[in-house]
């Protein structure tokens, strides 16, 4: 992922939708009554450059579904697209500030910087061949806090486990 693509994780929602994302609305069946079946409230988003997709249709409002799909797209971009080893070393100031704070291992997936930090953590883990202690050293954090952060989101945990497995390492214990 290039520096420009990395900025997608922090772009304002309207800017991201206008510049980088194709939006498609759909009708979805299921619970929600007649209103849901008569309107196109489902939203499917596709990032043009990478092809990463996300969708939401569980709400009756197209606006709410668009917001949820956009959050899911940001998460998918952070989890699926890996940066280079150079990018993993040269952390942006905002990410460094988060990593140096005492709250970082407990950073919520709902926090604004979460997926940007998660992407950098996965980049560092990939650059170090899935070895958590080396990735923690690269990020200047403790191994325990890195494992704790990886456990804050099931999808992030699974991405880290896939990186380790691909490098022939055993899975992490929770």
């Amino acid at each position: 992922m290039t520096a420009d693509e990395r900025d997608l994780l922090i772009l304002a929602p309207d800017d991201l939708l206008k510049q980088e994302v194709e939006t498609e609305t759909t009708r979805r069946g299921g619970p929600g009554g007649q209103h849901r079946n008569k309107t196109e409230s489902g939203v499917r988003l596709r990032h043009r450059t990478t092809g990463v997709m996300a969708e939401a249709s569980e709400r009756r409002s197209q606006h709410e579904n668009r917001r949820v799909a956009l959050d899911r797209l940001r998460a998918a971009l952070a989890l699926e697209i890996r940066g280079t080893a150079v990018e993993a070393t040269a952390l942006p100031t905002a990410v460094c500030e988060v990593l140096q704070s005492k709250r970082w291992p407990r950073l919520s997936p709902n926090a604004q910087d979460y997926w940007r930090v998660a992407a950098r953590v996965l980049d560092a883990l990939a650059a170090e061949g899935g070895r958590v202690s080396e990735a923690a050293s690269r990020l200047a954090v403790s191994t325990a806090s890195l494992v704790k952060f990886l456990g804050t989101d099931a999808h992030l945990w699974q991405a880290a486990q896939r990186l380790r497995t691909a490098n022939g390492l055993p899975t992490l214990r929770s």
Side-chain angles (χ1 to χ4, degrees):
M1 184 176 252
T2 66
D4 291 339
E5 290 169 330
R6 209 37 99 184
D7 290 338
L8 296 174
L9 299 175
I10 59 167
L11 265 179
D14 289 339
D15 294 337
L16 180 59
L17 288 170
K18 288 177 190 172
Q19 297 172 14
E20 301 288 335
V21 175
E22 291 176 8
T23 304
E24 178 185 348
T25 56
T26 59
R27 288 185 188 186
R28 297 293 177 142
Q34 291 180 343
H35 173 76
R36 181 173 182 155
N37 297 327
K38 290 180 182 177
T39 62
E40 293 194 0
S41 60
V43 176
R44 183 177 300 130
L45 303 177
R46 187 178 79 76
H47 183 243
R48 289 184 185 105
T49 308
T50 62
V52 173
M53 294 183 72
E55 65 180 289
S57 62
E58 58 270 14
R59 299 198 170 52
R60 287 178 53 172
S61 164
Q62 187 181 93
H63 297 290
E64 289 178 25
N65 283 330
R66 182 175 287 115
R67 181 187 51 78
V68 170
L70 190 58
D71 290 343
R72 290 176 182 165
L73 181 66
R74 287 181 199 266
L77 286 168
L79 293 171
E80 294 181 25
I81 310 299
R82 293 287 46 88
T84 65
V86 172
E87 289 174 337
T89 304
L91 295 172
T93 305
V95 174
C96 286
E97 288 172 3
V98 171
L99 290 174
Q100 298 308 318
S101 72
K102 293 188 185 278
R103 68 180 178 89
W104 96 269
R106 294 178 303 279
L107 192 63
S108 166
N110 297 328
Q112 180 179 359
D113 288 331
Y114 182 85
W115 290 111
R116 191 169 194 207
V117 172
R120 294 300 180 159
V121 165
L122 288 173
D123 289 348
L125 195 59
E128 296 297 341
R131 293 181 301 278
V132 177
S133 58
E134 283 83 357
S137 177
R138 177 185 288 256
L139 296 168
V141 299
S142 72
T143 303
S145 67
L146 181 57
V147 171
K148 187 174 186 177
F149 177 73
L150 292 171
T152 58
D153 180 76
H155 300 295
L156 179 58
W157 183 258
Q158 291 168 356
Q161 298 289 31
R162 282 192 301 271
L163 278 171
R164 288 182 58 82
T165 303
N167 286 289
L169 298 171
T171 58
L172 295 169
R173 292 180 299 194
S174 54

